Amino acid sequence: MPAIFSFLILFGLLSGMVLFRKNSVPQKSGKRYSHETISVIIPARNEEKHLPALLESLWRQTVKPDEIIVVDDHSEDQTKEIAERCGAAVFFAPDLPESWTGKTWAVWNGYLRSSGDFLVFLDADIRLAENAIASLIAEQKRQGGVISVVPYHHTEKFHEKFAMILNLLGIFAFTSPFERKNRQKGLYGACIVATRKDYEKIGGHQSIHAEMLDDLNLGARFQNAGIRVTNLIGSGLVSFRMYPDGIKSELEGFAKGAVLSTSAIHSFTLAAIILWILGLLLSELCFFLIGTPGFFPLCAGYLLYAAQIYFFNRHAGNFGILHPVCHFLSTIFSLIVVGYSLYQAVFRKKVVWKGRYIHVGRGHK
């Protein structure tokens, strides 16, 4: 049995090496190579704490956007006032139609008020390096089609670091080499760059207006229209701080799509992720096998996983040293998220996010 466990842990570690690719956005200098205009669209619901840092980083860009549009999605805080104070053009989203989700409605209304040749969709918790816009536009021109970025995950509080394993799983799912030929490949919604022409070709967010997993479905729409989708990691350029307000919002945020999002992943990617998780869980059993022959191989596996996670985190997020060493803490949180996500998807048939209930699957025919 210890030999079987050792082989499974080894295969898990190898799966992680296959899945993780440092496909980051190449950094470019701050030069505008054409007269094409850039519109940044930011949907915002109760984002008074996040918006100042994002908007300040946008004004510091070496290639500055031609317009920055914040769509106030019925906020109950000072989102509108803060966005205006920071120099953004602020629009109030009309009442949410029954068949739309909140974010798709806000983004669509932002697009309707924009005029740029390039559309940059950003979540309010994004932070940008000074050459980020220049680099994103240059990469879109090089790749063609639409690009999205999995941001570097900036954490400060202890509870935020529980997201470590889920953060890595997200990077695996979006940047796996097996996803290159996945016709259902999604986009990472926190940072998306597309040309206006391509966005309008697929009907924009109006075409996926009822989908809870808007970014995943949007990516599939682009691909089905013959428009290339490329997902990258944002190390050094694009970062975010997701859930500083508490573990409840962190749980709700991750559980919103933890289970349903697996349906869009390539089967080889999913198999490799399962192998990686299986090896991780087996290695963490070492604490229950102290004094038995199985302890030492599992303990060796545990330490190898800690080293691998620490290496991945150099490009994925600042989770420190304690959490990679005690990766079982993040694993426990991940299992809680998956359990809660299953409960919402299977039994409640709806998820809660930012004070709204979103019905699961209501956009599917």
Side-chain angles (χ1 to χ4, degrees), residues 112-126:
L112 292 175
R113 289 163 174 79
S114 70
S115 60
D117 301 302
F118 288 96
L119 302 175
V120 181
F121 302 102
L122 299 176
D123 282 358
D125 54 8
I126 290 289

Side-chain angles (χ1 to χ4, degrees), residues 32-201:
R32 190 185 286 265
Y33 296 99
S34 70
H35 297 293
E36 294 167 310
T37 53
I38 303 168
S39 296
V40 173
I41 298 169
I42 306 164
R45 178 172 170 84
N46 298 331
E47 298 288 2
E48 64 179 9
K49 295 180 181 178
H50 292 125
L51 273 176
L54 170 58
L55 295 175
E56 287 168 13
S57 72
L58 281 167
W59 291 123
R60 290 197 303 267
Q61 292 300 299
T62 53
V63 171
K64 291 179 172 54
D66 296 276
E67 55 186 4
I68 300 172
I69 298 170
V70 173
V71 184
D72 182 6
D73 183 15
H74 300 264
S75 298
E76 298 169 345
D77 61 6
Q78 298 297 306
T79 291
K80 177 179 181 293
E81 291 77 7
I82 287 174
E84 289 177 336
R85 195 180 309 149
C86 292
V90 182
F91 298 96
F92 192 74
D95 289 341
L96 181 64
E98 185 177 350
S99 61
W100 288 70
T101 63
K103 183 176 179 181
T104 55
W105 180 240
V107 173
W108 177 249
N109 277 276
Y111 151 74
L112 292 175
R113 289 163 174 79
S114 70
S115 60
D117 301 302
F118 288 96
L119 302 175
V120 181
F121 302 102
L122 299 176
D123 282 358
D125 54 8
I126 290 289
R127 308 290 180 269
L128 300 173
E130 291 184 356
N131 60 333
I133 294 293
S135 302
L136 290 169
I137 298 300
E139 185 63 8
Q140 189 285 326
K141 285 178 170 289
R142 188 179 77 86
Q143 296 276 2
V146 58
I147 67 170
S148 78
V149 177
V150 183
Y152 181 87
H153 195 155
H154 177 71
T155 66
E156 295 181 12
K157 298 178 182 178
F158 188 79
H159 78 268
E160 295 176 68
K161 300 181 189 295
F162 290 149
M164 180 180 69
I165 297 298
L166 291 171
N167 189 67
L168 287 177
L169 294 179
I171 291 176
F172 291 166
F174 280 93
T175 64
S176 160
F178 303 121
E179 296 302 305
R180 292 171 188 163
K181 296 184 178 180
N182 181 5
R183 296 299 303 171
Q184 297 301 312
K185 177 167 55 176
L187 291 161
Y188 198 89
C191 178
I192 297 174
V193 181
T195 65
R196 190 178 201 86
K197 179 180 177 181
D198 285 343
Y199 184 76
E200 291 176 346
K201 182 178 179 180

Side-chain angles (χ1 to χ4, degrees), residues 295-308:
F295 172 73
F296 289 104
L298 293 189
C299 185
Y302 183 94
L303 294 175
L304 286 172
Y305 260 99
Q308 185 183 69

